[in-house]
């Protein structure tokens, strides 16, 4: 049996040094197209509550034609905040499909953050009105920041941002981070902010409806990030019935996304738009929703990119892993 096998380890700092937003965007686009074409498979999702108060999940899949196989073990541990740590934790493992041997272990936090931001940006490019100028953002955390970063980069018509915080208090640091890229201010009336916006992004823990049904006006596009577990939601009852609904994966969205609350709502997978299987044909008065639950294939295409870059740059830690 081979005794010279190696396993590459990429920690948080190494991952962040290797990640580039434009390359992640390309990798996420590829993941959606592979999913649409049936070349990339998404295996049954694991997402379970823990006695500690956390949530643990596994997203896995493969692309047989590319020799790509692996999974991300991830979840949410709210008690980490009291320890000064990030509550979202994720680890990605790439596996050789020919032998089952591990190839690369990757800190998945930055991967999850950026690939989700890239997916949101693609959703805006495909679904939002291209003359959209006003955005309402719920949340100011890690995911809210990356969603806004990609939104401003990929939908340049956006000029005015109103944000809503869980405390209903302004966040000076958040405003400083984006103040040079847009007109940004705290919204004291969330319904009014939604009603005045062309784009709404919800990036919260998904504890309940964030605004009233009547606040959403004709022509609005919504990117919904926070519903990623059974029981989570950010949208009010009755909204999906008024919208044209787009998802990353139909079955997964019905299981853990906003679509779980209206599972019979007709929907289109966003990969089908990118592959040409479906068309948007958006009317100015349409309300569109992108229900984002996150695909294993997104993690795997980005992880493969990182593995290749690390190998070329001789980055990371290579350890002896005989078998």
């Amino acid at each position: 049996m081979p005794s010279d096998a190696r396993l590459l380890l990429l920690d948080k700092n190494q991952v962040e040094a290797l990640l580039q937003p434009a390359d992640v965007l390309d990798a996420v686009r590829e993941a959606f197209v592979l999913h649409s074409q049936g070349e990339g498979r998404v295996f049954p999702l694991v997402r379970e509550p823990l006695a500690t108060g956390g949530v643990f999940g596994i997203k896995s899949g493969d692309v047989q034609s590319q020799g790509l196989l692996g999974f991300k073990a991830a979840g949410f541990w709210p008690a980490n905040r009291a320890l000064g740590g990030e509550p979202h934790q994720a680890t990605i493992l790439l596996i050789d499909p020919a032998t089952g041997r591990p190839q690369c272990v990757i800190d998945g936090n930055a991967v999850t953050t950026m690939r989700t931001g890239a997916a949101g940006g693609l959703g805006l490019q495909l679904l939002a009105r291209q003359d959209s100028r006003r955005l309402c953002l719920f949340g100011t955390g890690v995911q809210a920041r990356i969603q806004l970063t990609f939104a401003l980069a990929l939908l340049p018509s956006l000029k005015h941002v109103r944000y809503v915080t869980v405390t209903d208090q302004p966040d000076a640091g958040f405003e400083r981070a984006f103040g040079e890229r847009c007109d940004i201010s705290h919204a004291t009336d969330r319904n009014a902010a939604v009603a005045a916006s062309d784009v709404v992004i919800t990036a919260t823990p998904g504890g309940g409806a964030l605004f009233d049904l009547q606040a959403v006006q004709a022509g609005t596009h919504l990117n919904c990030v926070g519903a990623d577990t059974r029981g989570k939601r950010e949208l009010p009852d009755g909204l999906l019935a008024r919208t044209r609904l787009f998802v990353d994966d139909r079955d997964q969205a019905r299981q853990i996304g906003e679509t779980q609350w209206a599972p019979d709502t007709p929907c289109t997978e966003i990969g089908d738009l990118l592959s040409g299987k479906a068309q948007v044909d958006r009317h100015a008065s349409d309300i569109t929703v992108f229900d984002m639950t996150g695909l294993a294939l997104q993690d795997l295409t980005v992880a493969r990119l990182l593995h290749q870059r690390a190998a070329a740059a001789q980055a990371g830690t290579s350890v002896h892993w005989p078998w």
Side-chain angles (χ1 to χ4, degrees):
M1 302 296 286
S3 60
D4 59 348
R6 312 288 296 184
L7 175 64
L8 183 64
L9 311 179
L10 297 177
D11 66 23
K12 173 182 181 293
N13 294 331
Q14 292 158 345
V15 169
E16 291 178 348
L18 292 167
L19 277 180
Q20 297 296 325
D23 295 331
V24 173
L25 190 69
D26 288 341
V28 169
R29 183 184 289 109
E30 180 190 6
F32 283 139
V33 171
L34 288 167
H35 186 46
S36 172
Q37 294 174 337
E39 293 186 47
R41 297 189 298 172
V42 174
F43 302 152
L45 176 74
V46 174
R47 189 78 173 169
E48 298 295 336
L50 303 175
T52 60
V55 176
F56 175 70
I58 295 176
K59 291 180 176 179
S60 57
D62 73 352
V63 183
Q64 295 184 69
S65 63
Q66 297 182 5
L68 181 60
L69 171 68
F71 65 85
K72 180 174 74 176
F76 187 73
W77 283 265
N80 284 3
R81 291 194 180 99
L83 303 174
E86 167 59 44
H88 290 92
Q89 291 296 315
T91 303
I92 299 170
L93 180 65
L94 292 179
I95 298 168
D96 179 0
T99 64
R101 295 291 296 169
Q103 296 175 315
C104 188
V105 177
I106 302 171
D107 183 284
N109 285 8
V111 172
T112 302
T113 297
M114 193 172 289
R115 64 84 154 147
T116 308
L122 287 172
L124 294 183
Q125 281 188 322
L126 292 167
L127 302 172
R129 297 193 338 265
Q130 293 306 296
D131 62 349
S132 297
R133 293 180 57 82
R134 298 183 178 275
L135 183 149
C136 176
L137 175 66
F138 286 82
T140 57
V142 171
Q143 193 50 234
R145 287 174 180 249
I146 198 68
Q147 289 293 327
L148 184 54
T149 297
F150 273 95
L152 293 172
L154 297 179
L155 198 60
S157 62
L158 291 172
K159 303 297 181 185
H160 307 282
V161 175
R162 301 295 174 260
Y163 68 95
V164 179
T165 61
V166 66
T167 62
D168 289 326
Q169 297 298 314
D171 184 328
F174 187 73
E175 292 184 20
R176 284 194 300 271
F178 292 96
E180 294 184 0
R181 284 175 274 178
C182 61
D183 164 35
I184 186 168
S185 63
H186 178 246
T188 56
D189 185 329
R190 57 186 60 200
N191 284 325
V194 169
S197 296
D198 306 302
V199 171
V200 176
I201 299 176
T202 58
T204 76
L210 298 171
F211 47 84
D212 295 336
L213 177 63
Q214 62 268 24
V216 182
Q217 304 299 304
T220 305
H221 172 71
L222 300 95
N223 268 5
C224 302
V225 184
D228 61 0
T229 303
R230 288 186 298 272
K232 284 190 175 186
R233 72 182 311 169
E234 295 177 308
L235 301 183
D237 280 334
L239 180 59
L240 290 186
R242 297 174 49 197
T243 73
R244 297 181 63 188
L245 176 61
F246 298 83
V247 300
D248 43 20
D249 179 88
R250 188 174 288 105
D251 293 337
Q252 190 169 286
R254 289 170 175 164
Q255 182 179 354
I256 62 171
E258 285 294 337
T259 310
Q260 69 182 285
W261 303 103
D264 295 329
T265 306
C267 60
T268 301
E269 292 188 350
I270 199 166
D272 288 346
L273 301 180
L274 290 166
S275 69
K277 283 187 176 181
Q279 304 296 323
V280 181
D281 297 326
R282 192 190 210 289
H283 299 102
S285 61
D286 286 341
I287 299 173
T288 50
V289 169
F290 181 24
D291 185 8
M292 302 169 53
T293 57
L295 292 183
L297 292 171
Q298 296 168 249
D299 299 309
L300 296 184
T301 54
V302 175
R304 178 188 58 195
L305 171 69
L306 288 169
H307 187 202
Q308 292 171 342
R309 283 203 167 159
Q314 295 185 324
T317 303
S318 179
V319 298
H320 188 49
W321 202 261
W323 60 297

